[in-house]
Amino acid sequence: MERKVVAVCAVVGFLGVLSAALGFAAEGTRVKVSDVQTTSPGECIYPRSPALALGLISAVALMVAQSIINTVAGCICCKRHPVPPDTNWSVALISFIISWCTFIIAFLLLLTGAALNDQRGAENMYFGSFCYVVKPGVFSGGAVLSLASVALAIVYYVALSSLKNPPSTFPQQNQGIAMGQPVIPQQSSEPVFVHEDTYNRQQFP
C-alpha cells in the first residue's frame, strides 16, 4: 500500500473518530428534561450546555473527512473508463453509496441536535404548555453513523486505489526456446604415441 493511501486513511480515520467522540460527548451534555425549569406560566428556562458547540464541531469534522476522501479518490460515478469486472469495483461502488447515505443522516442528526440545544435563558413554551428538549439518542445516533460513514469511505478509497494500481505481472520470458547444456567431448585417458620421425622433424638444425 502506498504512503499516500496510508496517510489519507490515517487523517480521515482520525477525523471520523473525533467526530464520533464529540457526538457522544454532546449526547452526555445535552439539555435534559430535569435541567429545564419553569418559573412562570408559559416560560421555560434552559441552562447553558456545551452540546451546541460539540455537535457543530462533530458535524464539521465529519464533513471535512468526507470531503478529503472524495477529493482524493474522486467520484466513482464520474469515471469515464469502462467498468472492470472486478470484485474491488463492486466493493468500492457499494461502499461509496452507503457511505454517502450514512453521512447525510449523521450530518443532519448532529446539526439538528446542536440547533435544538441552542436555547439559553427564558424561552416561551411550545404549544402553550411544553418545554422542548432533544430526545435521547440523537447525538449518539449521529456519532455511530459518522463512524460508519468514515469507515465505508476508507474502504471505498482503498478499493478504488487498488484498481488504479494493479499488481504488476511480468511476462514469462524464454518461451519456446529450448534450453540445453553444451556437450563437451570426453578426453581419453590412454597415452598417445608419437612416431620418432615426427619428433625429429620438429627439432631445429
Side-chain angles (χ1 to χ4, degrees):
M1 187 179 294
E2 297 181 355
R3 293 183 179 179
K4 176 183 177 182
V5 177
V6 175
V8 171
C9 292
V11 173
V12 173
F14 171 75
L15 291 174
V17 173
L18 177 63
S19 175
L22 293 174
F24 286 118
E27 177 70 25
T29 57
R30 64 180 178 84
V31 177
K32 304 175 180 61
V33 177
S34 58
D35 299 332
V36 182
Q37 299 178 357
T38 55
T39 56
S40 60
E43 190 175 66
C44 303
I45 300 178
Y46 292 90
R48 290 182 175 272
S49 173
L52 170 63
L54 293 174
L56 289 177
I57 299 175
S58 176
V60 170
L62 177 60
M63 183 178 63
V64 171
Q66 193 76 8
S67 301
I68 291 175
I69 204 75
N70 284 275
T71 301
V72 176
C75 178
I76 196 172
C77 301
C78 303
K79 305 295 181 182
R80 295 183 179 181
H81 53 75
V83 178
D86 196 296
T87 305
N88 290 334
W89 179 267
S90 302
V91 172
L93 180 61
I94 295 173
S95 301
F96 175 79
I97 295 174
I98 301 178
S99 174
W100 269 103
C101 293
T102 52
F103 164 74
I104 293 173
I105 298 174
F107 191 74
L108 291 177
L109 286 176
L110 293 172
L111 284 185
T112 302
L116 294 176
N117 271 273
D118 188 19
Q119 297 177 356
R120 298 183 299 271
E123 298 284 346
N124 294 327
M125 289 186 177
Y126 294 89
F127 302 106
S129 59
F130 293 98
C131 297
Y132 191 83
V133 294
V134 179
K135 292 183 178 180
V138 174
F139 284 112
S140 58
V144 172
L145 289 177
S146 65
L147 272 181
S149 175
V150 170
L152 290 170
I154 292 175
V155 172
Y156 155 68
Y157 176 55
V158 172
L160 200 63
S161 299
S162 64
L163 290 175
K164 294 180 180 179
N165 301 318
S168 59
T169 56
F170 296 97
Q172 296 181 358
Q173 298 179 355
N174 300 330
Q175 293 184 352
I177 301 177
M179 303 297 292
Q181 296 180 353
V183 178
I184 301 175
Q186 297 181 355
Q187 297 181 357
S188 176
S189 60
E190 298 180 357
V192 179
F193 296 94
V194 181
H195 196 271
E196 183 179 1
D197 294 338
T198 304
Y199 176 76
N200 293 331
R201 291 194 189 101
Q202 293 179 353
Q203 293 181 351
F204 295 96

